[in-house]
Amino acid sequence: MKQYLTNLFLKSSEKLSYLKEINLFFDIPKSEAHGDLSCNAAMILSKKLKKNPRTIAEEIVLSLDFDKKIISKIEIAGHGFINFFFSKEYIPQIIDEIIKKDEEFGKSEKYKGKKANVEFVSANPTGPLTVGHGRNAVIGDTVANLLEWSGYDVEREYYFNNAGRQMRVLGDSVRLRYLELLGEKIEFPEDYYQGDYIKEIARNLFDQFGSRLISEPAEGIFKQEAEKEIFKSIRSTLERIGIFHKIFFNENSLYEEKKIDKLLSILKEKDLSYEKEGAVWLKLSEMGNEQDKVIVKSSGEPTYRLPDIAYHCNKFERNYDLMVDLFGSDHNDTYPDVLAGLKALGYDSEKVKVLIHQFVTVVENGEIVKMSTRKANFITLDELIDEVGKDVVRYFFNMRNISAHMNFDLDLAKKQSDENPVFYLQYAHARICSIMKMVEKESIKISTENLYLLTSDEEQKLLRKLHLFEEEVLYSAENYEPHRICAYLVELAAAFHKFYTFCRIIGSEHKLAEARLSLASAARIVLRNGLRILGVSAPERM
RNA sequence: GCCCCGGUAGCUCAGUAGGAUAGAGCAGCAGUUUCCUAAACUGUUGGUCGGAGGUUCGAAUCCUCUCCGGGGUACCA
């Protein structure tokens, strides 16, 4: 509908040149009395043209060469709104399109031929994924889905680091637990990994090797085994909620391939770094950031900034048109340095889109569940999936704006009832599937021949919702806002449930029954496609 | 101190390229099943959009100040 109006206005702008000067925007009015779409162009132009907005609106309306079969009425209202009413014959045509495109409906080719990389999860293999990682994982995968639906060729990537202090501590944690099993008296430091999974890994080593590892160093087999086991568990957790990364990028490879050294010398060559007090500093203050930061410590060890920049250089070399990084808010001070560095190196940092999501608070019995990774008193993502299932996990994490703090209400999530929004959507889908089975006996078939019969309020409202799906997907993708899909689907399901209540299929006059069945079928397709974007299943029966 | 988020109905949250009377779900109250799944639907109660200024035809939305909550401000990642 918006496309049709945009084209109309473009044609008119040949007559009224001032239309070219503004950004055309069509809005869906809150009140039905104001039509299907509304345009505020006249009001915006009134200051520029120093004319009464209503006069401008009249001029615009007169210039529009519209098809009466498509637009039934154009009104000027309020201070100068132009309201468009689409005809009841035009609106149902969407059904035909939906049924023809089926699984493809909602996809756009706007970014066809473009390559995108979405990096998410990226947790180091030091422990099982927690609820906090869950939000990152689900949002990342859904953003990737949205980009795919808007035409991108998307690669999902996981960046990890298996070197450094944390991993040393991990290996030593396992070693100490192993020695414990051998009956040695150990002191387990407070800042070591306390979780039971450490004991399990130690137990496996004990079962396999007995006491033969007694004098092995922490960084040898203990660390390797820990990394292997933990990664196995991370991947299996992700798999359970339908997440598969194509690339696992090891930070260490940057060192092995001398990328870090190369980057250092380039930075020096370009005069972007300098030495002071035995450390190497990046000239961030000259790049517009607040202050210079250390990239190589006086100990000779790089800080995270250096490999992060090198890693992104590597991504640039892989020729992506878009690179999305998804972090939790605890990382929100790291990316400006990296972006500034990339820009100074001559890369187009606009191609990197950093998304920061806020934290998750788990609420159970009305109380906040406090979590700490180190003390191992966290809820793992696996436990959450055990409790509520994949669909609820995916839906709940997608449901909220990523920039808002999120309360994950365990009690609500566990409820298999009407209070849980996931089931509202799934139930709508199951209901339609049920009808479609039922009508087989009644010889009612999907037919788009008599769609003009769909004129009731409930039918028209459902149809208008269906019209919005494509642009909703594209808008969500371009703004990286998965939660919009959730909101849209709830509205769509509500429109369907109302239609279901008031417009019966079986028992209606044959032509009308077929038209309504087609509408229901189109609604089913859109519900399923929307759920697919979210990674939530669309059951045929509940 | 400085930086990034958030503060909208009792609760959880939508709504910010400025638009017409601020929405939904849950909770509360009152109803609807001889009828394609009642995990549904209908009606109803409930708001100084944290506060104060400003910008203008018009502000939850933009600007300034301020209060509250979360996160970050390392030669940790």
Side-chain angles (χ1 to χ4, degrees), chain A residues 357-419:
Chain A
H357 66 84
Q358 298 296 315
F359 282 166
V360 180
T361 310
V362 177
V363 178
E364 193 168 24
N365 304 321
E367 280 178 31
I368 293 170
V369 182
K370 290 205 173 138
M371 288 192 273
S372 147
T373 314
R374 187 166 292 158
K375 291 180 189 158
N377 95 52
F378 47 76
I379 299 175
T380 66
L381 185 51
D382 258 331
E383 288 162 353
L384 187 66
I385 302 168
D386 291 341
E387 288 273 3
V388 305
K390 171 197 162 191
D391 287 339
V392 172
V393 167
R394 293 215 43 139
Y395 188 84
F396 271 58
F397 281 131
N398 272 322
M399 181 162 75
R400 302 291 174 230
N401 190 328
I402 69 168
S403 70
H405 299 262
M406 172 186 180
N407 276 348
F408 196 111
D409 186 334
L410 265 184
D411 307 309
L412 175 60
K414 277 188 236 171
K415 273 188 198 164
Q416 303 260 327
S417 75
D418 56 344
E419 289 170 51

Side-chain angles (χ1 to χ4, degrees), chain A residues 16 69 97 131 138 142 169 213 219 290 304 313 379 512:
Chain A
L16 302 172
K69 281 183 195 147
E97 193 187 331
V131 170
V138 168
T142 307
V169 171
L213 306 175
E219 294 213 57
E290 241 173 73
Y304 66 89
C313 292
I379 299 175
L512 178 60

